[in-house]
Each structure stands twice: as C-alpha cells, then as structure tokens.
Amino acid sequence: MNNQTVDLFSPDHDYDLRFHEEPDLSFASQWASVPVHIKEAVELSQSLPVVFRRNLTGTIEIIALLTCDGEHLIRNGQWSLKQQPELLRHYPFTWILKQRDIKLAYYSQAPHFQGKGQKLLTSKGKPTRKLNDVIKGLDKAQSFFSATGQRMMELVRFNLLTPITVAQNVTLPQETYLVLQEPLSDDVRSQLSPEVAHLLDCHIKSLALLPAINGALSAAGSTVAATEKPANKTSKKAPSEKSSAKKAATPKQADAKAKKAVAQPAGAEGIDKIIDNTCEQLGVSREDLQSRKRNDLLTQARNQLAAEAKAAGSLKEMAAWLERSPATLSSWLK
C-alpha cells in the first residue's frame, strides 16, 4: 500500500468517478503488510505476526504481516481468515490529514475504479448511499487509529523495540520491522497502560508465526525461549541465544549506533526535526504549539513532542522551545 498513489477525493474533480466492488483480492496478494489499530492487532495476533514500524513521519505504527508460516493470507483471491484488517476491508478508500481536517481519499490505481461501476456522487453533487457508507466506516476506523497513535507514544517513551529484518516468504522481499525481543519486566509493565501491555504480550506471542526464510533473521526463537523463563528471574541468555544474537550482529550493531546517537541531546536541530514531523503529521502550526490554545489535536501534538523529545534526551530543549517547564512536559507523559 505504501507505494500507491493516494488522491484527495474532490467533488469537483471526481464527479464522474465510478466504483465497483472487487470481491477478488488478488490485487493485494503481493502486499507484505498493512497497518492495524490496537483492537484488531490483539485479535489478529492469534493468527498472524503483529509487529511495529516507524512510518514516514517517524511515528510508530502497528503492522500486521499478511503471511503466516511463509504462506500469504490471500489465497485464490480470497482472505483466508475470519477477520480482515480494516484498511484492507475499506480499500481503496482511506483518509489523509489536510490542514488539520481529516479528508476522504482513495487509491486511484486500484482495480475498483477500472471499467464500469456506480457513481459516488449524485447529479446534484451529493454523496450516494454507497459513499455515505464508506465515509461512515472510515470515520469509525480513523477514530480507532487516532487512539492507537496516542498509545504508541508509550513505546517511544520507553524505547522498547529493536529492528529486525525478515523475509516473509519466497516471493516477498525482505522487510525491516520493530519487535520486542524479551517479555516486559515488571517495572516497565507497571508504567504502561494495560492496553499497551496486553498488546505487547500478544505481539511477542505472535512472533512464533514469523519464520526465518532464505537466511533472514527470525525473532521467534529468542522470544519463545525468553517467555519460558520464570517471571521473577533475570538469568543470562543461553549459548544458543548468544549464537543467534551474533548472527544478527550487523543490523543490531547499526541499531546500537542509532540508539547511542539518539541518547545524546538532540539540540536545536534535533528538536526542529521532531517539531516539523509533528506539525506535518497532525496538521498543526508551530505558533499554535507554542501558544496557550487548548484542544484535543494540540494536546495530542504536544504530548507527542514531549515523548519524542524525552526519547531523544532533549526534554529540556523542547520545554524551552514550547516556553514551558521540563516538569510540565514530564507531567504530559504520565
């Protein structure tokens, strides 16, 4: 989905756009993954691997891999599980953030817009029943994803995830995702919301469904071994785990360097990047972030700034830019 063009739906431009249902899902048979929200991630984790990834704005999102044990979940054009990810179910319609507003958008290259179909606008330019149903469904899904975005800031705060590169099957290219390689400690668990802690428990169990193909690293072996340890012990890793870690030295060494760099205060240049990403992602301005205005969107944006700055070791610099005290930013993270 990431490589497809997303167009903003415009009544003036798309008055003659025609759409038809596409029961054959073969068009998605080469998709490696799809973003999911927390609620469906927990449910889907019983049947397929659920991992994490940073999107283009630097925000962590939950990803459901569309293969299980090396087999793609779309077979003969049909989805092989009972539950289907919402973004796949709503495809080719989606939404984008435009000037602080959520706007209807669509993947213009989708087969649903090829050939004959029904109009989405009436002769008077009003949404048809079909389009109203689409908008209603997307509004509900977007609210779930918005709530998920808030929760994902907890993962940024604790820096729990490690990059891992895997090949899902012989036809899909290798991809790099973020995973939790060890069960949560009691100390970290006590600081997470129950919702996120449960998500991470489901995530780590789902990694058993992630195979190592063509020599690509799998987190399943070390994760399963870790979950079998007594919860109140912190024993050293077994030799086999050390050997596994040694094989993954190249990506882990690169990640260690990245973490070390992040651990240093980001300074003006670093917080500028965090601020720009937040403004672009949530459609807010720098002036509004620094102001004393209050609304849900600005609260989400400021919380994200605080979480990202803390992860980068630049909470004081961010507080100075926001013209607040470091204690105020810390209170936003509780």
Side-chain angles (χ1 to χ4, degrees), residues 60 151-161 180 184-185 187-193 196 200 259 307 310-311 333:
I60 291 178
R151 292 301 187 190
M152 291 302 96
M153 287 190 286
E154 295 181 38
L155 300 184
V156 174
R157 190 185 315 167
F158 290 99
N159 196 25
L160 298 173
L161 305 176
L180 184 68
L184 293 172
S185 67
D187 178 55
V188 172
R189 183 182 294 275
S190 67
Q191 299 179 67
L192 294 172
S193 64
V196 170
L200 291 175
K259 286 183 178 178
K310 183 175 182 179
L333 299 174

Side-chain angles (χ1 to χ4, degrees), residues 39-235:
K39 183 179 179 181
E40 61 179 343
V42 168
E43 297 172 354
L44 286 167
S45 67
Q46 301 177 41
S47 305
L48 49 79
V50 171
V51 295
F52 301 90
R53 181 174 63 195
R54 282 191 180 273
N55 60 26
L56 294 177
T57 65
T59 303
I60 291 178
E61 58 185 5
I62 314 172
I63 299 295
L65 304 187
L66 299 187
T67 57
C68 179
D69 294 327
E71 294 290 333
H72 202 282
L73 295 170
I74 295 177
R75 301 167 189 167
N76 299 319
Q78 300 301 310
W79 181 253
S80 56
L81 300 179
K82 183 177 181 180
Q83 182 184 1
Q84 189 177 122
E86 285 213 57
L87 291 187
L88 176 58
R89 182 161 53 86
H90 289 301
Y91 184 88
F93 297 101
T94 186
W95 62 86
I96 59 176
L97 193 63
K98 190 77 171 179
Q99 296 178 347
R100 306 188 192 182
D101 292 326
I102 304 298
K103 299 289 188 180
L104 176 65
Y106 63 99
Y107 294 94
S108 56
Q109 298 171 331
H112 307 66
F113 300 115
Q114 299 172 11
K116 296 181 179 180
Q118 57 182 308
K119 281 191 173 185
L120 296 172
L121 296 171
T122 67
S123 58
K124 295 182 179 181
K126 302 295 183 181
T128 62
R129 179 179 297 181
K130 171 61 183 178
L131 186 55
N132 278 325
D133 288 344
V134 166
I135 294 172
K136 184 178 179 180
L138 287 176
D139 283 345
K140 184 177 180 180
Q142 196 278 328
S143 67
F144 282 127
F145 276 94
S146 178
T148 295
Q150 291 273 12
R151 292 301 187 190
M152 291 302 96
M153 287 190 286
E154 295 181 38
L155 300 184
V156 174
R157 190 185 315 167
F158 290 99
N159 196 25
L160 298 173
L161 305 176
T162 302
I164 184 173
T165 302
V166 298
Q168 297 180 57
N169 63 27
V170 294
T171 63
L172 295 176
Q174 292 186 4
E175 298 280 355
T176 299
Y177 302 102
L178 298 171
V179 299
L180 184 68
Q181 290 195 311
E182 294 182 357
L184 293 172
S185 67
D186 291 340
D187 178 55
V188 172
R189 183 182 294 275
S190 67
Q191 299 179 67
L192 294 172
S193 64
E195 189 176 18
V196 170
H198 181 52
L199 167 68
L200 291 175
D201 289 341
C202 294
H203 151 70
I204 205 167
K205 289 179 181 178
S206 79
L207 296 183
L209 302 172
L210 188 64
I213 299 176
N214 294 339
L217 177 64
S218 169
S222 59
T223 301
V224 171
T227 57
E228 292 173 352
K229 295 178 183 177
N232 59 350
K233 292 185 179 180
T234 55
S235 58

